[in-house]
Amino acid sequence: MFNSKACITGLCLLCVAGTIHSQDCHIPLRGRVTEAETKEPLAYASVYITEAQKGTTTDESGYFAIPNLCENTSYTVEVSHVECAHFTQVVRLRENTEVDFKLTHNAVLKEVVVHEKASAPISTQAESTVSKADMDAGKGVNLGETLKRLPGVTTLNTGATISKPVIQGLHSNRIAIVNNNVVLEGQQWGSEHAPEIDPFSADKITVVKGAAGVRYGVGAMGGAIVLEPAPLRDSAGLGGWLSLGGFSNGRGAVVAGAADWHLPGHSLTFRLQGTAKRSGNLRAPDYFLGNTGVAEYDFSTMAGWKSGRWNHEISLTSFNQQLGILRAAHIEDTTTFGAAIRSDVPLNNRDEFSWRISRPYQSIAHDVLKYKTVFRISEKWKLSGQYAWQYNNRREYDAHPPLSDPQDLLKKNQLSFRIWTNMLDLALEHFPIRHWQGGVGVQAMQQLNYVGKGGLIPDYQTFGGALWATERWQRYPSPWEFEFGARYDYRHSMVSTSGNGTGNLDETLVFGNTSGTAGAIYHLSKYARMSLNSGLAWRPPHVNELYAEGVHHGSATYERGNPDFRPEKAWNTNLNFQYQSPKSTATVTLYRNAVRDFIYLNPQQSFVRTIRGTFPLYTYRQNDAVLYGLDGNFSVPVSNFLSLESRISLLRGYATNADSSNETGTTAWLPLMPVDRFQYGFQWNLKGSKHFSTKNNPETPTYIRLMAMTALKQTRFPAGSLYKAPPPAFTTLSLDAGHTFLFGKRRLEVGLTIQNLTNVRYREYLNFFRYYADEPGFSAGMRAKYIFG
């Protein structure tokens, strides 16, 4: 029996004790670059570490520091300066290592070769990066399941197949998803519209928490998810990887691979990457979840080349997915709905395994074409331009066949959304000048959204533009860093429809406002730092929030908008403390987000009956609101190979308008806010063990990690807004393990991931289908990745 008090006590003790095990990779390389003959310091010299793929530039006194490197590891350090010969040296890094590089002055400067590989400065905003182990374990599932391992990040689910990231209580149009430097533009306004992202295409995933409007625009009021592909191959030859995976629950399989080719004697390099995934009905602990299969096929290609001071890159990605929707969530009438939410098992559910994806289901396609060019004006200035075209085609099929030949059953959809987006970005940026680094830019956007069938939302066309500027001050060895930014966005939308239940519409919407950010970092020691960031952001109401009227088949709800809504305006502040030593790590983030005119989807205790069935009513509301909370991430070793870990996510969200509370003196809690969540466990890591390493590569990792996740019962929700009380607290176990085999320069990475190890029955509060069915049960996944070249 679950003992919540004992569990919370244990969790608190565990949070004090530890976090994710971190290898001894938090050592900085410090040093100075001078001219060999004159001994004069060389400012703005490039220092780059090949193995770590990170670098920096020296300050005006020639000093530099590159953080987060591994102790007792040999690194190839490349040092270059516009006036000196290129220099390379191998450095064995130990704690407190400081090196002096002396460059020889060039008599004649014939050519300047610029490598733009310097790592980005530390953000003043709270950020979390998905570890390699978590990325490997989550690949083959979806982006949301990968991200929910991070503190402060959870998911808004629609059944077992659709997962949408939630950052500190915000999701959808308030979160920017940036893939390969392109902000994803799809139908992300829908609660069951999952991001059109192939996790296999990303080499690094970073979650930016808090107002990020200055960096990513009006869609980043609550944060951003930034996915970066691996850099293109920079040496002649062929390389790549092949990944295979299998999952017991759903009997799923995934295959993915990539190949990089750099032409000999040229600067031209190519990449081809593809993913194919297929699974059938998932199984809850006691029954199959009917019609929960998934089919996905993704493809991407990228090319890059250099010409003098010009760098060019072009890429094309294609995402194609078909998602089954739990059939039991589509109810015929009110009586059946009442019986469904009272039942312990889903009604109208085909309790058997099947590969078939039947009605209801979604079919999604998303294509992105990007071209980017960078011109290095001088050693201190660069000009960049980027054009991106996107096309998103979403079709939704309800549970009922059309009144026609049964052969057409799977061919006719009830909702169709198509969106075309053109985006142009121009930026002029400078490297450190008197300790200041930053830039200015301009953006333009044109977007056309066409609703071919269904009429849930109207058609619209939007034109937009933005101006932005950022600057950052950093002077080594001063412990302070400062960051400032400002942005102005303008949106002009023309909305029209020939009838979607609201009558004919012909409206013009014009919005414009500013965003701003200010932040500071103070380095307490070489291991600890604190940062404070405060930002203003805004977001215009989307057309679905203004004009939605109809059945949203994917979420099995009836949604209703309000055309009188005003733009949202947020003031987000976060205070972040981070400690990283060779032995322990700790990160604590406190945040408060005050949002004026906050728009949210509010469930009603009423139904709307249509010819397609009976659906719960959800209406959009607007109130001032406050969201505040704490994210924590801790780790401490208890032996050479064993470490304790814990993560914590706490959130409170409420409306501040006096008339939004149903009872005088009670708190007006916001709906659909994440529950308090705790993760805790241990990792057994044999990295560097003489029994699991090789002579040529002592860093071969072998690990086993056992984690528990406890989600408490949600007790903070609007009174009278739920059809069924929130589900009780639950605890699940997961197991991850991995090892790498070496074959010369080639590697074979194998791993095991087990979810819901004890096959416990539970339901997530942030799952729209929690009324009808349990979450999936035990699932074991095997993976293997072969890396060559």
Side-chain angles (χ1 to χ4, degrees):
M1 176 108 23
F2 174 79
N3 189 324
S4 61
K5 292 184 178 179
C7 181
I8 295 174
T9 303
L11 290 170
C12 294
L13 292 174
L14 205 57
C15 288
V16 174
T19 191
I20 299 175
H21 177 266
S22 134
Q23 302 162 351
D24 296 346
C25 294
H26 309 290
I27 306 299
L29 173 64
R30 303 179 187 273
R32 195 183 192 199
V33 180
T34 59
E35 207 279 336
E37 294 183 4
T38 65
K39 312 300 182 186
E40 292 291 327
L42 292 176
Y44 313 119
S46 172
V47 184
Y48 180 72
I49 298 178
T50 305
E51 292 82 358
Q53 295 187 354
K54 61 169 60 175
T56 188
T57 55
T58 58
D59 64 11
E60 292 181 340
S61 300
Y63 289 102
F64 70 89
I66 302 177
N68 299 329
L69 300 174
C70 299
E71 190 177 12
N72 296 321
T73 302
S74 295
Y75 289 106
T76 304
V77 183
E78 299 178 0
V79 186
S80 60
H81 189 270
V82 66
E83 299 176 353
C84 299
H86 189 81
F87 181 81
T88 301
Q89 180 176 323
V90 177
V91 176
R92 182 74 173 179
L93 185 62
R94 302 183 187 279
E95 190 169 353
N96 299 322
T97 296
E98 293 192 11
V99 291
D100 290 330
F101 297 112
K102 297 177 173 58
L103 303 189
T104 302
H105 198 83
N106 281 329
V108 179
L109 183 62
K110 295 182 178 180
E111 182 180 8
V112 177
V113 180
V114 178
H115 299 277
E116 293 190 59
K117 297 179 179 178
S119 58
I122 300 171
S123 174
T124 61
Q125 288 185 266
E127 288 187 351
S128 297
T129 300
V130 182
S131 68
K132 182 181 183 302
D134 285 338
M135 284 188 64
D136 291 340
K139 285 179 177 178
V141 187
N142 56 55
L143 179 63
E145 293 301 315
T146 300
L147 296 174
K148 68 188 301 184
R149 295 169 177 254
L150 298 175
V153 183
T154 186
T155 56
L156 183 67
N157 295 335
T158 303
T161 55
I162 300 174
S163 184
K164 196 177 186 95
V166 179
I167 301 176
Q168 295 177 343
L170 301 179
H171 57 84
S172 302
N173 284 339
R174 300 183 183 95
I175 302 297
I177 298 178
V178 186
N179 188 22
N180 192 19
N181 205 41
V182 177
V183 178
L184 190 71
E185 292 289 343
Q187 305 289 349
Q188 59 261 47
W189 51 268
S191 58
E192 89 303 353
H193 296 172
E196 296 87 359
I197 294 291
D198 175 16
F200 281 98
S201 66
D203 183 64
K204 179 182 178 182
I205 302 178
T206 303
V207 175
V208 181
K209 303 175 183 178
V214 172
R215 297 164 67 182
Y216 304 111
V218 295
M221 195 179 79
I225 299 168
V226 183
L227 301 96
E228 303 174 44
L232 289 169
R233 187 181 181 92
D234 58 4
S235 60
L238 179 67
W241 53 269
L242 176 65
S243 179
L244 301 174
F247 310 92
S248 63
N249 200 338
R251 305 177 193 178
V254 60
V255 56
D260 286 72
W261 182 34
H262 192 291
L263 272 65
H266 297 81
S267 65
L268 188 60
T269 181
F270 298 94
R271 170 179 297 154
L272 295 176
Q273 190 265 331
T275 301
K277 181 171 68 177
R278 188 72 170 92
S279 65
N281 287 345
L282 297 170
R283 181 174 175 83
D286 299 326
Y287 49 83
F288 282 101
L289 298 166
N291 198 44
T292 52
V294 175
E296 183 178 322
Y297 307 96
D298 308 320
F299 168 80
S300 67
T301 181
M302 185 183 301
W305 67 97
K306 300 177 183 179
S307 177
R309 296 187 179 186
W310 291 91
N311 283 358
H312 306 272
E313 180 186 296
I314 187 170
S315 64
L316 173 67
T317 64
S318 180
F319 177 93
N320 300 274
Q321 187 181 64
Q322 195 174 79
L323 295 168
I325 305 296
L326 182 71
R327 178 64 179 84
H330 284 248
I331 308 300
E332 297 291 341
D333 52 52
T334 306
T335 302
T336 307
F337 179 83
I341 64 174
R342 289 191 298 270
S343 176
D344 291 333
V345 298
L347 303 182
N348 192 26
N349 179 57
R350 182 166 291 183
D351 186 10
E352 63 182 17
F353 178 81
S354 174
W355 296 98
R356 181 186 175 96
I357 299 177
S358 303
R359 288 177 175 271
Y361 72 97
Q362 296 180 357
S363 179
I364 308 104
H366 192 97
D367 300 322
V368 181
L369 174 65
K370 185 195 89 169
Y371 169 72
K372 181 178 182 180
T373 183
V374 178
F375 177 68
R376 189 64 177 260
I377 301 173
S378 67
E379 68 175 51
K380 295 183 180 180
W381 291 90
K382 71 173 182 179
L383 178 66
S384 62
Q386 177 177 294
Y387 167 74
W389 170 87
Q390 298 183 63
Y391 172 64
N392 182 276
N393 186 8
R394 169 177 291 273
R395 290 169 292 171
E396 299 186 4
Y397 301 73
D398 75 0
H400 302 276
L403 300 176
S404 60
D405 191 322
Q407 294 295 324
D408 294 334
L409 177 61
L410 297 179
K411 298 179 181 179
K412 294 186 177 181
N413 53 285
Q414 275 62 54
L415 286 176
S416 173
F417 307 100
R418 286 181 288 171
I419 184 169
W420 293 264
T421 306
N422 292 278
M423 303 179 71
L424 180 65
D425 295 78
L426 298 173
L428 178 64
E429 299 169 276
H430 66 86
F431 297 100
I433 301 176
R434 296 187 181 274
H435 314 297
W436 288 93
Q437 179 177 351
V440 296
V442 60
Q443 296 179 338
M445 184 267 287
Q446 179 270 334
Q447 189 173 86
L448 174 63
N449 190 97
Y450 177 66
V451 181
K453 297 182 66 176
L456 174 63
I457 65 173
D459 302 332
Y460 64 91
Q461 185 172 12
T462 297
F463 298 90
L467 295 171
W468 61 266
T470 62
E471 285 293 334
R472 185 184 184 94
W473 183 90
Q474 180 181 9
R475 182 178 182 178
Y476 180 83
S478 171
W480 286 98
E481 298 180 44
F482 299 98
E483 183 180 49
F484 305 94
R487 179 186 180 109
Y488 178 81
D489 283 275
Y490 172 81
R491 291 289 184 271
H492 183 281
S493 299
M494 294 170 285
V495 182
S496 64
T497 182
S498 57
N500 68 340
T502 62
N504 294 332
L505 288 174
D506 187 7
E507 300 284 345
T508 298
L509 308 174
V510 178
F511 301 104
N513 212 328
T514 57
S515 303
T517 184
I521 299 175
Y522 182 76
H523 296 268
L524 300 167
S525 68
K526 65 178 181 179
Y527 296 135
R529 68 173 183 263
M530 294 188 67
S531 62
L532 175 67
N533 180 275
S534 190
L536 296 173
W538 74 287
R539 181 184 73 90
H542 195 268
V543 292
N544 72 301
E545 296 163 330
L546 296 170
Y547 304 113
E549 184 74 32
V551 177
H552 204 162
H553 296 283
S555 58
T557 59
Y558 191 98
E559 297 180 10
R560 181 173 293 157
N562 186 331
D564 298 326
F565 285 158
R566 299 171 297 276
E568 295 179 331
K569 294 166 285 291
W571 180 18
N572 188 298
T573 301
N574 65 74
L575 176 65
N576 189 56
F577 170 80
Q578 187 170 9
Y579 177 82
Q580 289 185 329
S581 75
K583 300 297 183 181
S584 304
T585 64
T587 302
V588 178
T589 300
L590 299 172
Y591 62 91
R592 185 180 188 273
N593 194 4
V595 186
R596 185 177 178 182
D597 296 321
F598 182 70
I599 302 172
Y600 56 95
L601 192 62
N602 195 46
Q604 306 294 311
Q605 284 190 323
S606 58
F607 305 88
V608 176
R609 182 158 187 169
T610 73
I611 60 173
R612 295 291 176 181
T614 299
F615 300 91
L617 174 63
Y618 283 73
T619 62
Y620 286 96
R621 295 188 61 184
Q622 186 169 58
N623 281 302
D624 294 346
V626 172
L627 294 85
Y628 67 96
L630 178 147
D631 300 335
N633 192 6
F634 311 88
S635 172
V636 62
V638 295
S639 70
N640 289 335
F641 301 128
L642 185 66
S643 64
L644 299 178
E645 309 179 6
S646 64
R647 309 169 192 172
I648 181 173
S649 301
L650 306 177
L651 170 69
R652 303 292 181 266
Y654 60 92
T656 59
N657 300 52
D659 59 354
S660 61
S661 176
N662 291 331
E663 299 179 16
T664 303
T666 64
T667 302
W669 300 112
L670 293 172
L672 300 176
M673 288 289 112
V675 302
D676 293 342
R677 192 174 297 260
F678 307 87
Q679 300 178 60
Y680 46 97
F682 65 86
Q683 179 165 308
W684 187 48
N685 195 314
L686 296 181
K687 179 181 179 182
S689 169
K690 63 182 181 180
H691 301 294
F692 289 85
S693 303
T694 68
K695 181 178 180 181
N696 294 330
N697 188 353
E699 301 300 325
T700 302
T702 300
Y703 69 93
I704 299 175
R705 180 170 61 181
L706 180 66
M707 294 290 289
M709 192 280 292
T710 296
L712 302 185
K713 181 177 179 178
Q714 182 60 280
T715 59
R716 297 168 296 277
F717 56 89
S721 64
L722 300 180
Y723 301 102
K724 187 177 184 179
F730 63 87
T731 298
T732 61
L733 293 177
S734 64
L735 176 70
D736 294 327
H739 179 65
T740 301
F741 299 93
L742 299 178
F743 307 96
K745 295 184 179 180
R746 302 178 181 181
R747 303 199 309 271
L748 177 62
E749 300 176 355
V750 297
L752 169 69
T753 299
I754 300 178
Q755 298 293 331
N756 198 356
L757 183 63
T758 56
N759 202 34
V760 65
R761 285 189 62 181
Y762 71 99
R763 300 192 182 193
E764 284 273 14
Y765 174 70
L766 287 187
N767 192 330
F768 276 88
F769 289 175
R770 69 176 179 86
Y771 294 118
Y772 316 110
D774 297 321
E775 299 289 334
F778 174 91
S779 179
M782 294 289 295
R783 63 182 183 275
K785 183 178 182 180
Y786 180 66
I787 304 172
F788 61 92

